[in-house]
Amino acid sequence: MPGSASINCLGPWPKDVGIIAMELYFPSRYVDQAELEQFDGVTPGKYTVGLGQACMGFCSDCEDINSLCLTVVQRLMEKSNLSYDSIGRLEVGTESIIDKSKSVKTVLMQLFEDSGNTDVEGIDTTNACYGGTAALFNAVNWVESSSWDGRFALVVAGDIAVYASGSARPTGGAGAVAMLIGPNAPLAFERENSEKLFSLEDFGFLVFHSPYCKLVQKSLARLMLNDFLNHPCPNTDMGPFNGLDDFRDVKPEETYFDRDVEKAFINASADLFERKTKHSLLISNQNGNMYTPSVYGCLASVIAQHTSSQLAGQRIGVFSYGSGFAATLYSLRVSQDHTPGSALDKLICSLSDLKVRLESRKKVSPAVFSENMKLREDAHHLANYVPRGSVEDLFPGTWYLTHVDEKHRREYARRPLDNDIPSEPEHIRSSNATEHIPSPAKKMPRIPVTNSDTGIAN
């Protein structure tokens, strides 16, 4: 294959391939779901209890899928002290398409220009909410293949979920996740084949794609039902299956809409949910559904709320699915090394500010939120358009849309990282590299990556 390196050149086959670093982006403004209930005139608790949602992040017309992904990629690279020439594959998962021919990856590649790195494999993957996971698997498989050239892979998943006003709107949200993939990772994919029958007890944590939090609780209950039916001789007198004897002979295909089964197993799995899944819902509860990065926002939530010693050696079950008719339940093994300065310790430290970032957001009224949704709808695919949303409300370091020209080419700029330091914003255009607007941004230094950090020598 073009760009492939021989196995002899690469040395030993890469081990423990997985997630080395993560960065998460969510909007700087949100609407309170309880206030949205009042605004929509629905029964109190419909969104907050029925859906399990507290807040919903949203974007004004000055943010789109390109700007979200630009932001999360650049922040990951800056936090990790990596040069763009250390990336050999860039995979994007999204369903928020704004150009039917040009990929989000094409726009992101302009971040690589100053490094001179144009040899980057990968494409956009669109398959409903599963696209982010498909992109992740493509990256992992590349590192584990004879095509790998020794560099990192970068996976980006991002979406803006906006529904029409009404019952579906409170299940919206927006955000993006970037993940650095390579060997000797603190979150390694478990790839070996096993004939062992796994159950929920084999996982220290379980995270799910989360359209809304209540559905996650139902999903865990469904897995418990599967464990119950697959168990050769479950104890229904004590333990997690206590009192479930009446359901021993049910057929799974007959239970999908059975409220008695659902209620019984939600109650039976309540303790399991508290111990293994509830912590994963921080971002989902506070920001809403992000589509392709949703399950990885849940993974980041688990990492951000536990210490390295609590996570070390644990197995994390990840269930990702999408309405594009695809789903995968897979396992990540957390590194045993939780010493200060270890890869696991660095990963946790990089995400430890999630709660602070959530608390620093600005709450707006449902009326303002509704106006912004109408503005996005009216401005969708307009030519010669200048966004009206306030740039000052964005987090420092956020990329934003500045203009859509007569040919529908989009131009972007970035807020400075430090609000106290006035500077001319960096610029990017959503066309090819020859039309790139010169940027005053300084070139990122080439930082050697040592074996002790990631196991890759560059």
Side-chain angles (χ1 to χ4, degrees):
M1 291 180 64
S4 298
S6 68
I7 295 177
N8 292 333
C9 294
L10 296 176
W13 202 259
K15 295 182 179 180
D16 295 331
V17 176
I19 301 169
I20 295 173
M22 293 182 74
E23 177 60 14
L24 175 66
Y25 173 76
F26 44 78
S28 60
R29 296 195 300 170
Y30 71 95
V31 62
D32 183 274
Q33 292 275 22
E35 294 179 4
L36 192 60
E37 289 172 344
Q38 292 181 316
F39 182 79
D40 290 345
V42 301
T43 304
K46 184 173 183 178
Y47 305 158
T48 53
V49 179
L51 298 178
Q53 299 300 115
C55 306
M56 178 167 53
F58 69 93
C59 299
S60 72
D61 64 334
C62 67
E63 290 188 275
D64 61 18
I65 184 59
N66 289 337
S67 69
L68 264 61
C69 292
L70 285 165
T71 298
V72 78
V73 166
Q74 189 155 12
R75 289 188 66 85
L76 175 69
M77 298 299 286
E78 289 170 346
K79 278 189 174 183
S80 302
N81 254 348
L82 286 172
S83 173
Y84 283 91
D85 60 6
S86 67
I87 305 298
R89 191 175 187 96
L90 174 59
E91 292 279 348
V92 178
T94 185
E95 56 180 298
S96 299
I97 301 172
I98 55 174
D99 190 311
K100 292 182 179 180
S101 62
K102 189 177 296 297
S103 65
V104 175
K105 185 206 172 188
T106 304
V107 178
L108 294 178
M109 281 302 300
Q110 293 180 70
L111 293 173
F112 290 68
E113 283 188 3
D114 286 344
S115 72
N117 181 14
T118 59
D119 180 17
V120 182
E121 298 181 40
I123 60 170
D124 284 13
T125 299
T126 302
N127 201 88
C129 295
Y130 189 79
T133 294
L136 177 59
F137 287 173
N138 288 342
V140 170
N141 290 337
W142 176 71
V143 174
E144 292 188 333
S145 76
S146 60
S147 296
W148 186 50
D149 64 7
R151 292 182 293 172
F152 295 116
L154 187 60
V155 176
V156 189
D159 277 301
I160 299 174
V162 178
Y163 293 91
S165 58
S167 58
R169 176 156 285 185
T171 63
V177 170
M179 294 173 278
L180 189 70
I181 309 302
N184 300 322
L187 300 182
F189 279 73
E190 293 194 299
R191 305 298 285 254
E192 64 271 13
N193 294 322
S194 175
E195 299 300 324
K196 180 182 181 295
L197 185 64
F198 280 83
S199 73
L200 295 177
E201 292 303 323
D202 289 295
F203 297 98
F205 300 94
L206 290 133
V207 302
F208 299 78
H209 169 59
S210 178
Y212 51 91
C213 293
K214 196 61 176 286
L215 189 58
V216 169
Q217 193 168 5
K218 292 180 180 180
S219 299
L220 182 66
R222 171 61 55 172
L223 288 183
M224 188 176 190
L225 169 63
N226 293 344
D227 280 0
F228 176 67
L229 297 179
N230 289 328
H231 199 291
C233 188
N235 187 343
T236 56
D237 293 325
M238 62 176 62
F241 299 140
N242 181 37
L244 298 175
D245 192 57
D246 290 345
F247 303 101
R248 186 59 183 153
D249 297 322
V250 300
K251 297 179 179 179
E253 64 271 17
E254 296 175 356
T255 64
Y256 299 142
F257 304 101
D258 190 320
R259 293 295 181 88
D260 291 334
V261 171
E262 181 180 274
K263 183 178 179 180
F265 282 87
I266 285 178
N267 290 336
S269 62
D271 176 66
L272 199 68
F273 176 78
E274 289 288 327
R275 290 187 290 114
K276 299 188 177 187
T277 300
K278 187 175 181 180
H279 282 98
S280 72
L281 297 178
L282 171 66
I283 296 298
S284 181
N285 173 264
Q286 292 293 313
N287 182 59
N289 184 9
M290 299 188 293
Y291 285 168
T292 57
S294 172
V295 69
Y296 302 104
C298 293
L299 178 60
S301 296
V302 170
I303 296 168
Q305 296 179 89
H306 291 86
T307 65
S308 56
S309 61
Q310 290 172 328
L311 289 174
Q314 294 284 357
R315 175 183 281 123
I316 303 176
V318 182
F319 182 52
S320 175
Y321 65 91
S323 52
F325 211 58
T328 302
L329 173 60
Y330 64 93
S331 176
L332 295 172
R333 175 68 77 176
V334 183
S335 168
Q336 292 280 5
D337 184 4
H338 60 278
T339 56
S342 65
L344 177 59
D345 183 60
K346 290 178 181 178
L347 175 62
I348 293 172
C349 288
S350 71
L351 294 171
S352 61
D353 65 342
L354 281 190
K355 282 189 175 181
V356 174
R357 286 162 57 187
L358 286 168
E359 292 168 357
S360 70
R361 296 176 301 168
K362 177 182 179 181
K363 184 176 80 169
V364 304
S365 69
V368 171
F369 163 69
S370 183
E371 290 169 4
N372 274 266
M373 296 303 97
K374 183 65 166 60
L375 181 60
R376 287 187 62 87
E377 181 181 351
D378 292 344
H380 188 61
H381 282 316
L382 286 180
N384 290 315
Y385 182 74
V386 177
R388 293 158 52 187
S390 172
V391 174
E392 297 304 314
D393 288 334
L394 301 175
F395 288 128
T398 300
W399 284 92
Y400 57 93
L401 178 67
T402 60
H403 179 242
V404 182
D405 71 13
E406 72 281 357
K407 294 182 179 180
H408 293 271
R409 293 174 297 188
R410 293 173 173 243
E411 297 179 7
Y412 301 89
R414 190 191 190 202
R415 285 204 65 195
L417 283 170
D418 192 332
N419 280 327
D420 297 329
I421 302 177
S423 66
E424 183 182 354
E426 303 171 47
H427 292 275
I428 272 183
R429 194 171 192 174
S430 67
S431 50
N432 62 42
T434 60
E435 295 172 315
H436 176 64
I437 299 174
S439 169
K442 63 181 180 180
K443 181 177 179 179
M444 295 187 67
R446 178 74 170 93
I447 306 296
V449 182
T450 64
N451 286 329
S452 60
D453 290 333
T454 62
I456 303 177
N458 285 319

